Amino acid sequence: MEIAYWIVAGLLGVLYLYSGGKKAVESKERLAPMMGWVDTVPMGLVRVIGAVEILGAAGLVLPPLTGIAPGLAMAAAIGLLVLQVLATALHLSRSEVKETGLNVALIVLAAVAARLATTW
């Protein structure tokens, strides 16, 4: 189970570091072609979402790796799950049903990570 956790946490961590990093530093003009929703959301909120994604990635990896407060990994996974539920709702409110596939996959992976984090 520990190996399964590290595989899932590693995948989520890499994805959220990349995505969160882009949201945290790139301009609205550079993000808009990949993320059409940034035109309807204040840029400050986009930066906060990026920071939450980066912190979530760190929360998945650092606590179990260091052995300090490993329960935070489950909290990070649940936080990322909630973030993706909200992202799915945003896409659906914009009638972007096709864009929700990745969100659903990330919800499932975050749920798996949360479950696996409780097994050790």
Side-chain angles (χ1 to χ4, degrees), residues 69-105:
L72 290 177
M74 185 178 65
I78 292 170
L80 291 172
L81 187 147
V82 170
L83 179 73
Q84 286 307 311
V85 168
L86 294 172
T88 302
L90 175 70
H91 285 300
L92 292 175
S93 74
R94 294 172 42 95
S95 299
E96 299 172 341
V97 176
K98 287 189 254 180
E99 284 80 4
T100 60
L102 178 60
N103 299 109
V104 171

PDB file of all heavy atoms in Angstrom, residues 69-105:
ATOM      1  N   ALA A  69       4.152  14.731  11.180  1.00  0.00           N
ATOM      2  CA  ALA A  69       2.710  14.917  10.967  1.00  0.00           C
ATOM      3  C   ALA A  69       2.228  14.256   9.686  1.00  0.00           C
ATOM      4  O   ALA A  69       1.648  14.901   8.817  1.00  0.00           O
ATOM      5  CB  ALA A  69       2.366  16.408  10.978  1.00  0.00           C
ATOM      6  N   PRO A  70       2.432  12.939   9.537  1.00  0.00           N
ATOM      7  CA  PRO A  70       2.037  12.271   8.299  1.00  0.00           C
ATOM      8  C   PRO A  70       0.533  12.334   8.018  1.00  0.00           C
ATOM      9  O   PRO A  70       0.118  12.161   6.883  1.00  0.00           O
ATOM     10  CB  PRO A  70       2.506  10.829   8.485  1.00  0.00           C
ATOM     11  CG  PRO A  70       2.712  10.661   9.936  1.00  0.00           C
ATOM     12  CD  PRO A  70       3.041  12.013  10.492  1.00  0.00           C
ATOM     13  N   GLY A  71      -0.267  12.629   9.021  1.00  0.00           N
ATOM     14  CA  GLY A  71      -1.706  12.788   8.804  1.00  0.00           C
ATOM     15  C   GLY A  71      -2.045  13.953   7.895  1.00  0.00           C
ATOM     16  O   GLY A  71      -3.132  14.012   7.317  1.00  0.00           O
ATOM     17  N   LEU A  72      -1.111  14.878   7.747  1.00  0.00           N
ATOM     18  CA  LEU A  72      -1.344  16.006   6.853  1.00  0.00           C
ATOM     19  C   LEU A  72      -1.453  15.568   5.394  1.00  0.00           C
ATOM     20  O   LEU A  72      -2.042  16.272   4.584  1.00  0.00           O
ATOM     21  CB  LEU A  72      -0.240  17.053   7.003  1.00  0.00           C
ATOM     22  CG  LEU A  72      -0.242  17.831   8.314  1.00  0.00           C
ATOM     23  CD1 LEU A  72       0.945  18.782   8.359  1.00  0.00           C
ATOM     24  CD2 LEU A  72      -1.536  18.589   8.492  1.00  0.00           C
ATOM     25  N   ALA A  73      -0.893  14.424   5.062  1.00  0.00           N
ATOM     26  CA  ALA A  73      -0.991  13.928   3.684  1.00  0.00           C
ATOM     27  C   ALA A  73      -2.450  13.650   3.334  1.00  0.00           C
ATOM     28  O   ALA A  73      -2.895  13.969   2.231  1.00  0.00           O
ATOM     29  CB  ALA A  73      -0.143  12.672   3.508  1.00  0.00           C
ATOM     30  N   MET A  74      -3.192  13.066   4.267  1.00  0.00           N
ATOM     31  CA  MET A  74      -4.605  12.821   4.024  1.00  0.00           C
ATOM     32  C   MET A  74      -5.359  14.147   3.889  1.00  0.00           C
ATOM     33  O   MET A  74      -6.205  14.309   3.016  1.00  0.00           O
ATOM     34  CB  MET A  74      -5.232  11.987   5.136  1.00  0.00           C
ATOM     35  CG  MET A  74      -6.673  11.636   4.825  1.00  0.00           C
ATOM     36  SD  MET A  74      -7.471  10.603   6.047  1.00  0.00           S
ATOM     37  CE  MET A  74      -7.509  11.668   7.451  1.00  0.00           C
ATOM     38  N   ALA A  75      -5.031  15.111   4.734  1.00  0.00           N
ATOM     39  CA  ALA A  75      -5.675  16.425   4.655  1.00  0.00           C
ATOM     40  C   ALA A  75      -5.371  17.101   3.317  1.00  0.00           C
ATOM     41  O   ALA A  75      -6.252  17.715   2.708  1.00  0.00           O
ATOM     42  CB  ALA A  75      -5.221  17.305   5.812  1.00  0.00           C
ATOM     43  N   ALA A  76      -4.142  16.976   2.841  1.00  0.00           N
ATOM     44  CA  ALA A  76      -3.763  17.567   1.551  1.00  0.00           C
ATOM     45  C   ALA A  76      -4.539  16.901   0.421  1.00  0.00           C
ATOM     46  O   ALA A  76      -5.035  17.579  -0.491  1.00  0.00           O
ATOM     47  CB  ALA A  76      -2.264  17.428   1.323  1.00  0.00           C
ATOM     48  N   ALA A  77      -4.657  15.579   0.468  1.00  0.00           N
ATOM     49  CA  ALA A  77      -5.394  14.866  -0.575  1.00  0.00           C
ATOM     50  C   ALA A  77      -6.865  15.272  -0.578  1.00  0.00           C
ATOM     51  O   ALA A  77      -7.453  15.496  -1.643  1.00  0.00           O
ATOM     52  CB  ALA A  77      -5.253  13.360  -0.377  1.00  0.00           C
ATOM     53  N   ILE A  78      -7.444  15.409   0.594  1.00  0.00           N
ATOM     54  CA  ILE A  78      -8.849  15.830   0.677  1.00  0.00           C
ATOM     55  C   ILE A  78      -8.997  17.267   0.181  1.00  0.00           C
ATOM     56  O   ILE A  78      -9.958  17.597  -0.523  1.00  0.00           O
ATOM     57  CB  ILE A  78      -9.383  15.655   2.110  1.00  0.00           C
ATOM     58  CG1 ILE A  78      -9.481  14.167   2.441  1.00  0.00           C
ATOM     59  CG2 ILE A  78     -10.740  16.338   2.284  1.00  0.00           C
ATOM     60  CD1 ILE A  78      -9.758  13.858   3.895  1.00  0.00           C
ATOM     61  N   GLY A  79      -8.046  18.119   0.517  1.00  0.00           N
ATOM     62  CA  GLY A  79      -8.083  19.493   0.032  1.00  0.00           C
ATOM     63  C   GLY A  79      -8.013  19.564  -1.487  1.00  0.00           C
ATOM     64  O   GLY A  79      -8.739  20.342  -2.123  1.00  0.00           O
ATOM     65  N   LEU A  80      -7.156  18.752  -2.089  1.00  0.00           N
ATOM     66  CA  LEU A  80      -7.057  18.733  -3.551  1.00  0.00           C
ATOM     67  C   LEU A  80      -8.322  18.145  -4.174  1.00  0.00           C
ATOM     68  O   LEU A  80      -8.746  18.590  -5.250  1.00  0.00           O
ATOM     69  CB  LEU A  80      -5.818  17.952  -3.984  1.00  0.00           C
ATOM     70  CG  LEU A  80      -4.488  18.637  -3.642  1.00  0.00           C
ATOM     71  CD1 LEU A  80      -3.318  17.714  -3.938  1.00  0.00           C
ATOM     72  CD2 LEU A  80      -4.338  19.961  -4.377  1.00  0.00           C
ATOM     73  N   LEU A  81      -8.927  17.187  -3.507  1.00  0.00           N
ATOM     74  CA  LEU A  81     -10.195  16.635  -3.980  1.00  0.00           C
ATOM     75  C   LEU A  81     -11.271  17.726  -4.000  1.00  0.00           C
ATOM     76  O   LEU A  81     -11.986  17.883  -4.997  1.00  0.00           O
ATOM     77  CB  LEU A  81     -10.608  15.478  -3.068  1.00  0.00           C
ATOM     78  CG  LEU A  81     -11.826  14.670  -3.500  1.00  0.00           C
ATOM     79  CD1 LEU A  81     -11.638  13.226  -3.061  1.00  0.00           C
ATOM     80  CD2 LEU A  81     -13.096  15.219  -2.931  1.00  0.00           C
ATOM     81  N   VAL A  82     -11.368  18.487  -2.926  1.00  0.00           N
ATOM     82  CA  VAL A  82     -12.349  19.577  -2.855  1.00  0.00           C
ATOM     83  C   VAL A  82     -12.062  20.618  -3.938  1.00  0.00           C
ATOM     84  O   VAL A  82     -12.988  21.107  -4.603  1.00  0.00           O
ATOM     85  CB  VAL A  82     -12.355  20.223  -1.449  1.00  0.00           C
ATOM     86  CG1 VAL A  82     -13.173  21.502  -1.431  1.00  0.00           C
ATOM     87  CG2 VAL A  82     -12.868  19.236  -0.414  1.00  0.00           C
ATOM     88  N   LEU A  83     -10.798  20.936  -4.143  1.00  0.00           N
ATOM     89  CA  LEU A  83     -10.415  21.890  -5.182  1.00  0.00           C
ATOM     90  C   LEU A  83     -10.909  21.423  -6.547  1.00  0.00           C
ATOM     91  O   LEU A  83     -11.454  22.213  -7.328  1.00  0.00           O
ATOM     92  CB  LEU A  83      -8.896  22.072  -5.190  1.00  0.00           C
ATOM     93  CG  LEU A  83      -8.339  23.027  -6.231  1.00  0.00           C
ATOM     94  CD1 LEU A  83      -8.664  24.462  -5.849  1.00  0.00           C
ATOM     95  CD2 LEU A  83      -6.848  22.842  -6.362  1.00  0.00           C
ATOM     96  N   GLN A  84     -10.765  20.136  -6.838  1.00  0.00           N
ATOM     97  CA  GLN A  84     -11.197  19.619  -8.131  1.00  0.00           C
ATOM     98  C   GLN A  84     -12.721  19.540  -8.256  1.00  0.00           C
ATOM     99  O   GLN A  84     -13.257  19.711  -9.350  1.00  0.00           O
ATOM    100  CB  GLN A  84     -10.565  18.255  -8.409  1.00  0.00           C
ATOM    101  CG  GLN A  84      -9.111  18.349  -8.770  1.00  0.00           C
ATOM    102  CD  GLN A  84      -8.856  19.309  -9.911  1.00  0.00           C
ATOM    103  OE1 GLN A  84      -9.507  19.273 -10.953  1.00  0.00           O
ATOM    104  NE2 GLN A  84      -7.891  20.190  -9.729  1.00  0.00           N
ATOM    105  N   VAL A  85     -13.398  19.295  -7.165  1.00  0.00           N
ATOM    106  CA  VAL A  85     -14.865  19.335  -7.203  1.00  0.00           C
ATOM    107  C   VAL A  85     -15.316  20.751  -7.563  1.00  0.00           C
ATOM    108  O   VAL A  85     -16.205  20.946  -8.408  1.00  0.00           O
ATOM    109  CB  VAL A  85     -15.476  18.866  -5.866  1.00  0.00           C
ATOM    110  CG1 VAL A  85     -16.963  19.185  -5.788  1.00  0.00           C
ATOM    111  CG2 VAL A  85     -15.230  17.375  -5.671  1.00  0.00           C
ATOM    112  N   LEU A  86     -14.685  21.749  -6.958  1.00  0.00           N
ATOM    113  CA  LEU A  86     -15.023  23.139  -7.273  1.00  0.00           C
ATOM    114  C   LEU A  86     -14.646  23.488  -8.713  1.00  0.00           C
ATOM    115  O   LEU A  86     -15.387  24.206  -9.401  1.00  0.00           O
ATOM    116  CB  LEU A  86     -14.329  24.084  -6.290  1.00  0.00           C
ATOM    117  CG  LEU A  86     -14.801  23.972  -4.840  1.00  0.00           C
ATOM    118  CD1 LEU A  86     -13.923  24.811  -3.922  1.00  0.00           C
ATOM    119  CD2 LEU A  86     -16.248  24.360  -4.710  1.00  0.00           C
ATOM    120  N   ALA A  87     -13.518  22.980  -9.186  1.00  0.00           N
ATOM    121  CA  ALA A  87     -13.105  23.226 -10.573  1.00  0.00           C
ATOM    122  C   ALA A  87     -14.105  22.592 -11.538  1.00  0.00           C
ATOM    123  O   ALA A  87     -14.449  23.193 -12.574  1.00  0.00           O
ATOM    124  CB  ALA A  87     -11.700  22.667 -10.812  1.00  0.00           C
ATOM    125  N   THR A  88     -14.577  21.398 -11.218  1.00  0.00           N
ATOM    126  CA  THR A  88     -15.580  20.736 -12.060  1.00  0.00           C
ATOM    127  C   THR A  88     -16.854  21.571 -12.101  1.00  0.00           C
ATOM    128  O   THR A  88     -17.442  21.762 -13.174  1.00  0.00           O
ATOM    129  CB  THR A  88     -15.880  19.319 -11.525  1.00  0.00           C
ATOM    130  OG1 THR A  88     -14.659  18.580 -11.489  1.00  0.00           O
ATOM    131  CG2 THR A  88     -16.886  18.604 -12.398  1.00  0.00           C
ATOM    132  N   ALA A  89     -17.279  22.080 -10.955  1.00  0.00           N
ATOM    133  CA  ALA A  89     -18.475  22.923 -10.899  1.00  0.00           C
ATOM    134  C   ALA A  89     -18.287  24.183 -11.747  1.00  0.00           C
ATOM    135  O   ALA A  89     -19.221  24.604 -12.452  1.00  0.00           O
ATOM    136  CB  ALA A  89     -18.795  23.291  -9.456  1.00  0.00           C
ATOM    137  N   LEU A  90     -17.101  24.777 -11.712  1.00  0.00           N
ATOM    138  CA  LEU A  90     -16.829  25.971 -12.535  1.00  0.00           C
ATOM    139  C   LEU A  90     -16.955  25.623 -14.012  1.00  0.00           C
ATOM    140  O   LEU A  90     -17.597  26.354 -14.774  1.00  0.00           O
ATOM    141  CB  LEU A  90     -15.441  26.535 -12.237  1.00  0.00           C
ATOM    142  CG  LEU A  90     -15.020  27.704 -13.124  1.00  0.00           C
ATOM    143  CD1 LEU A  90     -15.836  28.945 -12.804  1.00  0.00           C
ATOM    144  CD2 LEU A  90     -13.551  27.985 -12.988  1.00  0.00           C
ATOM    145  N   HIS A  91     -16.347  24.517 -14.431  1.00  0.00           N
ATOM    146  CA  HIS A  91     -16.433  24.119 -15.838  1.00  0.00           C
ATOM    147  C   HIS A  91     -17.881  23.846 -16.251  1.00  0.00           C
ATOM    148  O   HIS A  91     -18.312  24.251 -17.335  1.00  0.00           O
ATOM    149  CB  HIS A  91     -15.576  22.879 -16.113  1.00  0.00           C
ATOM    150  CG  HIS A  91     -14.119  23.163 -16.172  1.00  0.00           C
ATOM    151  ND1 HIS A  91     -13.558  24.029 -17.076  1.00  0.00           N
ATOM    152  CD2 HIS A  91     -13.089  22.685 -15.441  1.00  0.00           C
ATOM    153  CE1 HIS A  91     -12.261  24.078 -16.907  1.00  0.00           C
ATOM    154  NE2 HIS A  91     -11.949  23.264 -15.903  1.00  0.00           N
ATOM    155  N   LEU A  92     -18.621  23.161 -15.402  1.00  0.00           N
ATOM    156  CA  LEU A  92     -20.020  22.870 -15.732  1.00  0.00           C
ATOM    157  C   LEU A  92     -20.856  24.142 -15.800  1.00  0.00           C
ATOM    158  O   LEU A  92     -21.743  24.254 -16.652  1.00  0.00           O
ATOM    159  CB  LEU A  92     -20.609  21.885 -14.730  1.00  0.00           C
ATOM    160  CG  LEU A  92     -20.031  20.470 -14.791  1.00  0.00           C
ATOM    161  CD1 LEU A  92     -20.597  19.613 -13.662  1.00  0.00           C
ATOM    162  CD2 LEU A  92     -20.264  19.826 -16.140  1.00  0.00           C
ATOM    163  N   SER A  93     -20.557  25.112 -14.938  1.00  0.00           N
ATOM    164  CA  SER A  93     -21.299  26.375 -14.979  1.00  0.00           C
ATOM    165  C   SER A  93     -21.010  27.162 -16.251  1.00  0.00           C
ATOM    166  O   SER A  93     -21.812  27.979 -16.679  1.00  0.00           O
ATOM    167  CB  SER A  93     -20.966  27.231 -13.754  1.00  0.00           C
ATOM    168  OG  SER A  93     -19.675  27.799 -13.871  1.00  0.00           O
ATOM    169  N   ARG A  94     -19.856  26.868 -16.869  1.00  0.00           N
ATOM    170  CA  ARG A  94     -19.492  27.522 -18.128  1.00  0.00           C
ATOM    171  C   ARG A  94     -19.830  26.638 -19.330  1.00  0.00           C
ATOM    172  O   ARG A  94     -19.397  26.911 -20.440  1.00  0.00           O
ATOM    173  CB  ARG A  94     -17.994  27.843 -18.134  1.00  0.00           C
ATOM    174  CG  ARG A  94     -17.585  28.886 -17.106  1.00  0.00           C
ATOM    175  CD  ARG A  94     -16.077  29.029 -17.001  1.00  0.00           C
ATOM    176  NE  ARG A  94     -15.369  29.026 -18.258  1.00  0.00           N
ATOM    177  CZ  ARG A  94     -15.006  30.117 -18.951  1.00  0.00           C
ATOM    178  NH1 ARG A  94     -15.328  31.306 -18.488  1.00  0.00           N
ATOM    179  NH2 ARG A  94     -14.345  30.002 -20.081  1.00  0.00           N
ATOM    180  N   SER A  95     -20.593  25.574 -19.117  1.00  0.00           N
ATOM    181  CA  SER A  95     -20.984  24.616 -20.161  1.00  0.00           C
ATOM    182  C   SER A  95     -19.782  23.988 -20.846  1.00  0.00           C
ATOM    183  O   SER A  95     -19.811  23.703 -22.036  1.00  0.00           O
ATOM    184  CB  SER A  95     -21.895  25.294 -21.192  1.00  0.00           C
ATOM    185  OG  SER A  95     -23.068  25.763 -20.586  1.00  0.00           O
ATOM    186  N   GLU A  96     -18.727  23.739 -20.078  1.00  0.00           N
ATOM    187  CA  GLU A  96     -17.505  23.112 -20.597  1.00  0.00           C
ATOM    188  C   GLU A  96     -17.450  21.653 -20.135  1.00  0.00           C
ATOM    189  O   GLU A  96     -16.541  21.246 -19.420  1.00  0.00           O
ATOM    190  CB  GLU A  96     -16.276  23.873 -20.104  1.00  0.00           C
ATOM    191  CG  GLU A  96     -16.224  25.304 -20.550  1.00  0.00           C
ATOM    192  CD  GLU A  96     -15.110  26.096 -19.895  1.00  0.00           C
ATOM    193  OE1 GLU A  96     -14.586  25.687 -18.841  1.00  0.00           O
ATOM    194  OE2 GLU A  96     -14.771  27.155 -20.444  1.00  0.00           O
ATOM    195  N   VAL A  97     -18.413  20.876 -20.568  1.00  0.00           N
ATOM    196  CA  VAL A  97     -18.518  19.489 -20.117  1.00  0.00           C
ATOM    197  C   VAL A  97     -17.307  18.680 -20.565  1.00  0.00           C
ATOM    198  O   VAL A  97     -16.797  17.846 -19.822  1.00  0.00           O
ATOM    199  CB  VAL A  97     -19.833  18.858 -20.624  1.00  0.00           C
ATOM    200  CG1 VAL A  97     -19.927  17.397 -20.245  1.00  0.00           C
ATOM    201  CG2 VAL A  97     -21.026  19.637 -20.082  1.00  0.00           C
ATOM    202  N   LYS A  98     -16.808  18.940 -21.775  1.00  0.00           N
ATOM    203  CA  LYS A  98     -15.664  18.177 -22.285  1.00  0.00           C
ATOM    204  C   LYS A  98     -14.414  18.380 -21.436  1.00  0.00           C
ATOM    205  O   LYS A  98     -13.568  17.495 -21.366  1.00  0.00           O
ATOM    206  CB  LYS A  98     -15.352  18.579 -23.729  1.00  0.00           C
ATOM    207  CG  LYS A  98     -16.361  18.068 -24.734  1.00  0.00           C
ATOM    208  CD  LYS A  98     -15.874  18.312 -26.131  1.00  0.00           C
ATOM    209  CE  LYS A  98     -16.660  19.440 -26.736  1.00  0.00           C
ATOM    210  NZ  LYS A  98     -16.269  19.769 -28.084  1.00  0.00           N
ATOM    211  N   GLU A  99     -14.282  19.513 -20.792  1.00  0.00           N
ATOM    212  CA  GLU A  99     -13.100  19.823 -19.999  1.00  0.00           C
ATOM    213  C   GLU A  99     -13.110  19.178 -18.617  1.00  0.00           C
ATOM    214  O   GLU A  99     -12.137  19.285 -17.878  1.00  0.00           O
ATOM    215  CB  GLU A  99     -12.934  21.345 -19.844  1.00  0.00           C
ATOM    216  CG  GLU A  99     -12.396  22.034 -21.077  1.00  0.00           C
ATOM    217  CD  GLU A  99     -13.460  22.267 -22.138  1.00  0.00           C
ATOM    218  OE1 GLU A  99     -14.634  21.961 -21.888  1.00  0.00           O
ATOM    219  OE2 GLU A  99     -13.112  22.751 -23.222  1.00  0.00           O
ATOM    220  N   THR A 100     -14.179  18.504 -18.253  1.00  0.00           N
ATOM    221  CA  THR A 100     -14.277  17.952 -16.901  1.00  0.00           C
ATOM    222  C   THR A 100     -13.658  16.564 -16.759  1.00  0.00           C
ATOM    223  O   THR A 100     -13.542  16.065 -15.644  1.00  0.00           O
ATOM    224  CB  THR A 100     -15.743  17.895 -16.427  1.00  0.00           C
ATOM    225  OG1 THR A 100     -16.484  17.064 -17.321  1.00  0.00           O
ATOM    226  CG2 THR A 100     -16.360  19.280 -16.369  1.00  0.00           C
ATOM    227  N   GLY A 101     -13.230  15.950 -17.841  1.00  0.00           N
ATOM    228  CA  GLY A 101     -12.640  14.618 -17.767  1.00  0.00           C
ATOM    229  C   GLY A 101     -11.411  14.572 -16.878  1.00  0.00           C
ATOM    230  O   GLY A 101     -11.270  13.682 -16.029  1.00  0.00           O
ATOM    231  N   LEU A 102     -10.515  15.529 -17.057  1.00  0.00           N
ATOM    232  CA  LEU A 102      -9.313  15.588 -16.225  1.00  0.00           C
ATOM    233  C   LEU A 102      -9.679  15.837 -14.768  1.00  0.00           C
ATOM    234  O   LEU A 102      -9.094  15.248 -13.867  1.00  0.00           O
ATOM    235  CB  LEU A 102      -8.346  16.654 -16.735  1.00  0.00           C
ATOM    236  CG  LEU A 102      -7.070  16.846 -15.924  1.00  0.00           C
ATOM    237  CD1 LEU A 102      -6.252  15.553 -15.882  1.00  0.00           C
ATOM    238  CD2 LEU A 102      -6.248  17.988 -16.482  1.00  0.00           C
ATOM    239  N   ASN A 103     -10.658  16.703 -14.553  1.00  0.00           N
ATOM    240  CA  ASN A 103     -11.088  16.978 -13.181  1.00  0.00           C
ATOM    241  C   ASN A 103     -11.587  15.718 -12.488  1.00  0.00           C
ATOM    242  O   ASN A 103     -11.240  15.459 -11.337  1.00  0.00           O
ATOM    243  CB  ASN A 103     -12.189  18.049 -13.156  1.00  0.00           C
ATOM    244  CG  ASN A 103     -11.749  19.363 -13.726  1.00  0.00           C
ATOM    245  OD1 ASN A 103     -12.188  19.729 -14.801  1.00  0.00           O
ATOM    246  ND2 ASN A 103     -10.886  20.070 -13.021  1.00  0.00           N
ATOM    247  N   VAL A 104     -12.377  14.921 -13.190  1.00  0.00           N
ATOM    248  CA  VAL A 104     -12.908  13.684 -12.617  1.00  0.00           C
ATOM    249  C   VAL A 104     -11.764  12.721 -12.301  1.00  0.00           C
ATOM    250  O   VAL A 104     -11.740  12.089 -11.232  1.00  0.00           O
ATOM    251  CB  VAL A 104     -13.951  13.049 -13.558  1.00  0.00           C
ATOM    252  CG1 VAL A 104     -14.348  11.660 -13.081  1.00  0.00           C
ATOM    253  CG2 VAL A 104     -15.179  13.943 -13.678  1.00  0.00           C
ATOM    254  N   ALA A 105     -10.807  12.614 -13.219  1.00  0.00           N
ATOM    255  CA  ALA A 105      -9.647  11.737 -12.975  1.00  0.00           C
ATOM    256  C   ALA A 105      -8.871  12.195 -11.747  1.00  0.00           C
ATOM    257  O   ALA A 105      -8.435  11.372 -10.927  1.00  0.00           O
ATOM    258  CB  ALA A 105      -8.746  11.706 -14.202  1.00  0.00           C
TER     259      ALA A 105
END
